[in-house]
Amino acid sequence: MRTKLIAGNWKMNASKPMVRELVAGILAQLDADRDAEVMVLPPSPYLSLVHSLTESTPVLMGGQDLSAHESGAYTGEVAGSMLADCGCSYVLVGHSERRSLHGEGDELVAAKFVAAQASGLQPILCVGETLEEREAGQTEAVVSRQIQAVIDQAGIAAFARALVAYEPVWAIGTGQTATPDQAQVVHAAIRGQLAAGSATIGGRVRILYGGSVKADNATELFACEDIDGGLIGGASLTAESFMAIYRAA
Ligand code: PGA
């Protein structure tokens, strides 16, 4: 039984008043009777504030990115150990905006995955194809390559302490969601790839869907066999829309 997880990727959106209001709204709508988990992924400067507001609550916290390095002369970078020190237990790696806007390739993403685990964080490995790749029939090949790069560097056993998020690039922030069928096919392929290395790990790993998830499409997506929750961008910025998705899970 895989517990559903609803994770809010705030991206580069926050201010102290907004953080206080959003977290208060999330906490007010948490329901002890539901077994879905809630996570927030704030920009780094707000991690300590969010931690202070959530540390004695069930709300989980993660970073949006980390450096592949441990420490040293890497101006502007944030190490996994620092995220852990500020209260994170998770971190995104390989979000498509990091891949496309910051030129992160499969090897670097895999190195970040390894660095995250070395700091005691659970990486959430983001994978997904562009529209061009989907139209060329390459979706599964692209996603499989992205996953394989991490298996090659970290080993299959590392996925016992990690999550995967399938986020078709064409669905991120566009209002265009993958249909439940389109998403389920890719989720099943990801699970199959991991299960080929270890049936136990393939069966247990949580695979989130991301890309324009809203309350009105979440129920159908989360009903799919291999979809274990969502990575939510735009709709995670108000407690109302985020917690409506939580209730759908
Ligand atoms: P979106 O973003 O929900 O705004 O499409 C999802 C993501 O990038 O994680």
Side-chain angles (χ1 to χ4, degrees), residues 26-63:
I26 291 172
L27 292 174
Q29 294 180 56
L30 270 185
D31 182 349
D33 293 338
R34 286 175 207 272
D35 57 6
E37 293 179 336
V38 172
M39 183 189 300
V40 292
L41 301 143
S44 297
Y46 297 92
L47 290 171
S48 290
L49 173 59
V50 173
H51 182 57
S52 71
L53 298 170
T54 57
E55 63 183 323
S56 51
T57 77
V59 174
L60 306 167
M61 186 175 76

Side-chain angles (χ1 to χ4, degrees), residues 2-22:
R2 300 183 297 265
T3 306
K4 290 267 194 301
L5 170 66
I6 306 303
N9 174 13
W10 297 354
K11 309 194 179 185
M12 201 172 74
N13 300 290
S15 65
K16 285 183 186 173
M18 177 211 139
V19 166
R20 289 183 195 283
E21 189 185 327
L22 180 50

Side-chain angles (χ1 to χ4, degrees), residues 144-164:
S144 161
R145 187 203 72 219
Q146 291 171 334
I147 301 263
Q148 192 59 45
V150 176
I151 297 176
D152 289 347
Q153 261 194 62
I156 187 73
F159 282 84
R161 292 178 294 121
L163 293 88
V164 177

Side-chain angles (χ1 to χ4, degrees), residues 9 11 95 97 167 171-174 210-214 231-235:
N9 174 13
K11 309 194 179 185
H95 188 279
E97 286 149 20
E167 299 201 299
I172 296 179
T174 58
S212 298
V213 177
K214 305 274 181 302
L231 180 57
I232 323 297

